Amino acid sequence: MRRREYVTAVGSSVGALATTGVGTAQTVALERVHPVESETAVRPGDRIGFEVAATPGVDPTANDWEVDGSEGGAIEPNAPFWSYTHITGHPAAYGRFDESGTHDVSVTVDGTTVSWTVDVTSRAPAAPTLDVTCDPGPNATITVRDEVDVTASAADDSGRLHRLFWQEGRNATYVDRTDLSGATATTTYATTGGNAIWFIGGYPMIAWVACRDGRLTAARTDGPSVAAFRTVSITGTNAPVRAGDDLVVAADVEPEGNATYHGFVDVEVDLIVGHDPTHVDSETVAVFTGHAETVSLEFATATVRNTQTFPARVETRDDTSVTDVTVIGTEDGGSQGHLEVTDLETNAPVTGGEWLEVTATLSNTGDGPAGREVELVVGHDPTTVDTQSVTVGTGETATVSLGYETYPVNNDDEFPVYIRTGDDTASQTVLVYGRNGGGNGQSTFAVSITGTNAPVNGGEWLSVTAAIENVGDSAGTHDVELVVGRTPEVVDGASVSLAPGETTTVSLGYETYPVTNDDVFPVMVRSPHASDTRTVTVYGTD
């Protein structure tokens, strides 16, 4: 990767600083940035920096720096200021004078020259001080998804702080800057383990602080060790199985990270089952970063008399995937029912204190009758508020209605509700109006998915249609979004305007990823007030 391409790739704010037209095809106007005045002073042995604003921006190769009429010497456009000029178009350089005396420093671009007279004397103000720390620190280990904050604290007894430059320590490349003022300043560079690729490679982060008169100080800090994030997703099971048979759970593991540094990553995968979680199997696989590997975990089920449904959880040290599995009891004969939630509706929005009702359509897709305890679970901290026992024959459907009296909240409250059968779970976000005026003069958009074109082949377009109804008492315009995946991602959206009581249909979609193996995942259509979810299948290329 060329240096300039690398610079553009690191740091969240680099793009905002990048020049749109470096070059020397026209006359360039130069203006001093620091030192601001044409005369300045620095102590012997202390660093001093120079910067001019160029209009239009210029390339580093177009800058001619001279000291006392000669090129090179004590002042050079070295890192990070070479890459700084690449990004901003502003000529910059730094260096130091070891002996007392007076020197002329100049930069010339396309025939235009800016110069300074530098008095090197022990009577000059002291260099600014700078302390740089990293959180998490160098003794910590984080994943590529975790946040990293590098904080610089600068001070200048003369009160002339001006600018702070961030430089990564791998390629000595400039990544960001912050304007300062006064005698003290603290600023933080925020990034993630995955973006701070210099930390992945074991290199430091460096800060430079410049004063208005050019005095310059640098400091550095080491960062944490950065490891790949080990994702896991259950792709299928052989459930339902008969009591005493082996239950097999298949899962895809994929380490997220930077392949330049991680390469093959050892991923330990654990299978944990039951309402009273029990570890039953584990496997360690070596997976190349950015690639997926399928693992199969299994255990011999207990010889139980009655059919049981319980959670099966696959874990790595960073991620978890859960599904419900069913073991057919020895006294339940050939019953292998499987109860899916194929439709979910609510009477939301309601006002706090009113009854919230959730109606679900249940379909038995197994090859035997399904007797289940169906649960209504509500809230961000999930709580079971109602249950109902149902039995659904093979190939049949049934409708259940569960509900509870909502809490009389003062302010509007939005939260998820779930219907759980033991074999399947469906959810929807509902709105409960607060007693302090919630629902008065407001537009509220209810959402109901009406269909999808799933299953589709990987790489094909997946479309989802949904009915949007304004159940509020005022006209309004809101964004409606399509969210997909177990790690939710917004892939499409539309702005919808509706009068009170009006309904419209939206069609949203996206081009699916060409997966190798079949992938089953949720899709959600949501407004700011409600949502509806379906599970879809994308066929793999194999």
Side-chain angles (χ1 to χ4, degrees), residues 426-445:
S427 67
Q428 190 173 121
T429 300
V430 298
L431 176 67
V432 174
Y433 290 132
R435 296 181 299 178
N436 293 338
N440 296 326
Q442 297 182 355
S443 58
T444 303
F445 284 10

Side-chain angles (χ1 to χ4, degrees), residues 527-540:
S527 75
H529 319 107
S531 66
D532 195 10
T533 303
R534 293 290 184 275
T535 299
V536 298
T537 298
V538 174
Y539 292 136

Side-chain angles (χ1 to χ4, degrees), residues 276-322:
D276 183 13
T278 303
H279 182 276
V280 294
D281 195 15
S282 63
E283 184 176 345
T284 299
V285 292
V287 189
F288 198 81
T289 305
H291 293 71
E293 188 78 22
T294 299
V295 297
S296 292
L297 304 168
E298 61 184 75
F299 80 108
T301 60
T303 308
V304 294
R305 296 171 59 188
N306 300 314
T307 298
Q308 296 182 3
T309 299
F310 52 87
R313 186 168 76 247
V314 177
E315 292 184 349
T316 68
R317 73 185 192 189
D318 303 316
D319 199 16
T320 300
S321 183
V322 181

Side-chain angles (χ1 to χ4, degrees), residues 110 140 162 173 194 238 287 292 308 332:
D110 195 29
H162 185 51
T173 304
N238 66 336
V287 189
Q308 296 182 3
D332 288 339

Side-chain angles (χ1 to χ4, degrees), residues 338-342 361-366 392-393 395-398:
H338 187 83
L339 212 53
E340 292 188 3
V341 185
T342 57
T361 301
L362 311 177
S363 298
N364 184 357
T365 59
V392 183
E396 297 179 355
T397 62

